[in-house]
């Protein structure tokens, strides 16, 4: 914030009072307290939430005669950001906004800093149009600076030249400052800033393709020369403590890095393919996980069923869905919900994705004989109250998990099935007796992840086909009259649901920008939560199909994943197209 003279401070106090932004009595009391404590007045006002940074910046801009801009929700084009280098922008807290009539519009925290304005003007070789913005607004734009991938190309070229000179050099001599290390660091930084969950490094016949998975969808970010592949793969192997001279069998490893001021755990999977070795890097951002079941998208009946299940003294809670549908994250959220000093929670995972304080987490290591089955036997001798098994993969693990649930433990685990109802026949396939399944399984969660619609969005009215699909899927769940809206919305866990039987419904779609590809940003969960009732237990004992179990669960009030998705689309969280894409294989 710009330094304020006494005259400006008086004008600012008068402006806040005259505009009705802060009551005069509150300002007078704050002025008196500021003089007594010798604390800056406006620092104290913001600290006590009497005014916020945006309001204060706007007021300072007004009395300074400088135009103000609110950047807290702004997205700036990457080509515009490139006009002022990131290090310069951060040093002067000044970010470019747009080209306007051969002048560059720039937002600054301290717009009165003439030397900084002159320097930036010389740097970009054109006059500036200066705006004032809050520090939070400028930092929001600074976070949008993507790592420049052109440096990877330069490093790749340099590395290729080095390799040509020293064809027979030992790859272990790669040092931290080598071109290949810089290239890898840049790729990792780009992935973290893009919120990618995975990086795929894929060898082709004549090139090396780099792809990132953002919000569940893969997209190519660049191609590198084929000659860089051995050095890049070896660098990753060295960091992961893997065998650099082993190219015939798959290898798994992990390491942690600090990228863009975030601690990120990396899980590495290397596999031999036709044209070389493929590397898949899974990024686990330690700082961005809240593991709150309500924030993850559980609501209404599903949330009530979950909380009922996890507060039982024993039995099994199972989550199901394909790879990458957030099953492990759901289990972490459930553990976070019940974590307490009075409860001994032991987990068995492959690998341990997130470390949780107060929970005893065990990493599966098949190389030394620590499998899910042998680990589970060991856990049951550690006096646990709650046991989490990362995944039930075989008959032995399934049998041990059921025995643990029968002997007074609460067991959490995951299975790969298409729906909640599909879990029960899957356990039958693993030779678990029907009466044991019926007596141990409390709650089953089926889930998928959909992309969220970005904040920059448009609303539109549903087409006749979309309206027909909405009514066919969730029409019977929606309120029938205005009098029912509050009750039905509360029951389903959503706000102000529309009435059933309308000719069209208001839906949203995001705007396609570089920061929000196809109009999406982030992901949300779709859930179906089945409470195993007495009727469903009877069906299990009679070995009925998953379709019959699903039908009974829906009759007892279960909201299916597709229905949950359509309700979220009506709330503006996602789109019908996205829901249909991820629930195509469910009932």
């Amino acid at each position: 914030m710009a330094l304020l003279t006494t005259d400006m401070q008086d004008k600012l106090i008068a402006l806040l009072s005259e505009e009705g932004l802060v009551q005069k009595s509150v300002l007078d009391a704050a002025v008196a307290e500021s003089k007594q404590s010798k604390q800056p007045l406006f620092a104290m006002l913001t600290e006590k939430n009497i005014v916020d940074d945006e309001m204060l910046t706007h007021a300072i801009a007004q009395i300074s005669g400088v135009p103000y801009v609110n950047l807290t929700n702004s997205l700036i084009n990457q080509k515009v950001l490139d006009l002022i280098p990131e290090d310069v922008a951060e040093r002067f807290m000044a970010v470019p906004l747009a080209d306007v009539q051969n002048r560059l519009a720039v937002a600054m925290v301290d717009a009165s800093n003439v030397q900084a304005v002159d320097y930036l003007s010389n740097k970009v070789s054109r006059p500036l149009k200066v705006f004032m913005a809050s520090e939070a607004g400028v930092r929001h734009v600074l976070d949008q600076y993507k790592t420049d991938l052109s440096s990877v190309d330069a490093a790749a070229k340099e590395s290729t030249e080095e390799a040509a000179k020293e064809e027979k050099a030992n790859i272990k001599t790669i040092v931290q400052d080598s071109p290949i290390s810089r290239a890898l660091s840049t790729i990792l930084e780009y992935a973290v800033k893009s919120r990618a969950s995975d990086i795929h490094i894929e060898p082709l016949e004549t090139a090396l393709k780099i792809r990132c998975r953002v919000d569940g969808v893969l997209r190519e970010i660049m191609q590198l020369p084929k000659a860089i592949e051995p050095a890049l793969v070896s660098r990753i192997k060295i960091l992961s403590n893997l065998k650099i001279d082993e190219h015939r069998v798959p290898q798994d490893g992990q390491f942690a890095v600090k990228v863009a001021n975030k601690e990120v755990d990396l899980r590495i999977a290397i596999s031999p393919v036709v044209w070389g070795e493929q590397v898949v890097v899974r990024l686990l951002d330690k700082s961005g996980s809240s593991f709150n079941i309500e924030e993850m998208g559980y609501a209404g009946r599903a949330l009530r069923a979950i909380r009922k299940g996890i507060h039982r003294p024993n039995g099994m809670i199972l989550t199901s869905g394909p790879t990458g549908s957030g099953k492990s994250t759901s289990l972490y959220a459930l553990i976070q919900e019940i974590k307490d000093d009075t409860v001994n929670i032991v987990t068995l995972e492959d690998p341990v994705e997130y470390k949780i304080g107060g929970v005893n987490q065990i990493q599966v290591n098949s190389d030394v004989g620590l499998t899910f089955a042998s680990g589970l036997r060991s856990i049951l001798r550690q006096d646990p109250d709650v046991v989490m098994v990362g995944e039930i993969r075989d008959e032995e693990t399934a049998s041990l998990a059921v025995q643990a649930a029968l002997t007074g433990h609460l067991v959490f685990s995951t299975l790969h099935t298409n729906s909640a109802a599909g879990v029960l026949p899957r356990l039958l396939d693993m030779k678990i007796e029907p009466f044991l399944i019926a007596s141990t399984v409390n709650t089953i969660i089926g889930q998928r992840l959909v992309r969220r619609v970005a904040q920059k969005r448009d609303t539109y009215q549903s087409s006749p086909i979309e309206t027909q699909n909405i009514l066919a899927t969730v029409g019977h769940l929606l309120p029938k009259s205005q009098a029912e809206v509050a009750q039905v919305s509360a029951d389903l866990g959503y706000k102000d649901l529309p009435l059933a039987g309308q000719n069209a419904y208001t839906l949203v779609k995001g705007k396609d920008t570089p920061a929000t590809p196809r109009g999406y940003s982030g992901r949300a969960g779709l859930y179906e939560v089945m409470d195993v009732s007495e009727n469903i237990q009877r069906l299990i004992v009679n070995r009925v199909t998953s379709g019959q179990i699903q039908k009974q669960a829906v009759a007892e009030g279960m909201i299916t994943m597709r229905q949950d998705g359509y309700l979220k689309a009506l709330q503006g969280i996602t789109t019908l197209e996205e829901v249909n894409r991820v629930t195509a294989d469910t009932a």
Side-chain angles (χ1 to χ4, degrees), residues 429-500:
D429 291 343
M430 290 182 168
K431 308 285 194 305
I432 305 298
E433 291 294 334
F435 69 89
L436 289 177
I437 299 172
S439 57
T440 56
V441 179
N442 294 341
T443 310
I444 306 169
I445 305 163
Q447 66 182 81
R448 296 287 188 280
L449 291 176
V450 290
R451 290 175 291 176
R452 287 179 182 269
V453 176
Q455 288 301 312
K456 280 202 170 182
R457 54 178 62 189
D458 295 317
T459 58
Y460 70 99
Q461 293 300 301
S462 58
S463 67
I465 292 175
E466 287 174 328
T467 303
Q468 186 181 340
N469 285 340
I470 289 168
L471 292 175
T473 307
V474 295
H476 63 290
L477 296 171
L478 297 175
K480 306 294 184 289
S481 67
Q482 200 62 43
E484 292 181 15
V485 169
Q487 184 183 343
V488 172
S489 297
D491 180 48
L492 296 175
Y494 295 106
K495 291 180 182 176
D496 301 325
L497 287 169
L499 297 177

Side-chain angles (χ1 to χ4, degrees), residues 318-394:
L318 299 173
T319 65
S320 69
T323 302
S325 60
K327 300 186 298 297
S328 298
T329 307
S330 279
L331 291 186
Y332 282 122
L334 299 185
I335 284 175
Q336 197 72 40
E337 183 87 357
I338 61 169
K339 188 164 72 91
D340 189 282
D341 284 344
T342 63
V343 180
N344 180 21
I345 303 171
V346 185
T347 77
L348 189 62
E349 304 169 61
D350 183 21
V352 174
E353 293 191 11
Y354 295 97
K355 297 171 182 67
I356 304 176
V359 176
N360 303 299
Q361 295 171 277
I362 299 172
Q363 166 84 47
V364 166
N365 186 348
S366 52
D367 291 344
V368 296
L370 178 53
T371 62
F372 277 116
S374 63
L376 191 47
R377 283 197 187 89
S378 162
I379 284 174
L380 296 177
R381 293 192 289 272
Q382 295 175 20
D383 184 31
D385 298 295
V386 178
V387 176
M388 178 186 128
V389 182
E391 186 183 342
I392 294 178
R393 295 178 181 172
D394 52 46

Side-chain angles (χ1 to χ4, degrees), residues 167-331:
E167 282 184 16
K168 295 180 181 178
N170 185 346
I171 202 69
K172 286 183 182 177
T173 60
I174 291 176
V175 293
Q176 195 65 38
D177 292 332
S178 68
I180 210 68
S181 296
R182 295 200 302 273
L184 178 59
S185 297
T186 305
I187 291 168
L188 290 174
E189 191 170 342
Y190 181 88
V192 169
K193 287 188 173 182
S194 301
R195 308 182 328 278
S197 59
D198 301 85
I199 304 168
H200 289 235
I201 301 170
E202 300 166 333
L204 307 176
E205 185 176 6
T206 59
L208 189 66
K209 183 164 71 174
I210 312 291
R211 294 196 289 172
C212 283
R213 187 181 295 280
V214 179
D215 295 336
V217 178
L218 270 174
R219 64 173 185 266
E220 184 176 322
I221 60 166
M222 68 186 310
Q223 287 200 9
L224 295 172
K226 179 72 173 173
I228 198 177
E229 183 205 331
L232 185 61
V233 173
S234 293
R235 178 65 189 155
I236 293 170
K237 285 180 177 178
I238 289 167
L239 291 169
S240 312
N241 291 322
L242 301 177
K243 297 176 183 173
I244 61 171
D245 56 348
E246 178 57 81
H247 308 289
R248 299 163 302 167
V249 297
Q251 297 188 77
D252 295 332
Q254 61 185 53
F255 63 96
V257 291
K258 189 164 186 178
V259 180
N261 294 320
K262 290 182 177 181
E263 280 191 27
V264 182
D265 277 340
L266 306 176
R267 277 167 37 196
I268 313 298
I270 300 178
S271 303
V273 293
V274 174
W275 300 115
E277 288 181 280
Q278 180 194 28
V279 181
V280 178
V281 181
R282 168 68 59 87
L283 293 93
L284 301 167
D285 183 356
K286 295 179 181 178
S287 61
S289 304
S290 65
F291 300 127
N292 180 297
I293 57 176
E294 291 180 51
E295 288 177 13
M296 288 168 60
Y298 287 98
R301 298 176 192 176
L303 185 61
R304 292 193 291 275
I306 281 282
R307 286 191 165 139
K308 178 183 172 187
I310 63 176
H311 287 105
R312 288 177 177 170
N314 54 25
M316 294 177 77
I317 315 286
L318 299 173
T319 65
S320 69
T323 302
S325 60
K327 300 186 298 297
S328 298
T329 307
S330 279
L331 291 186

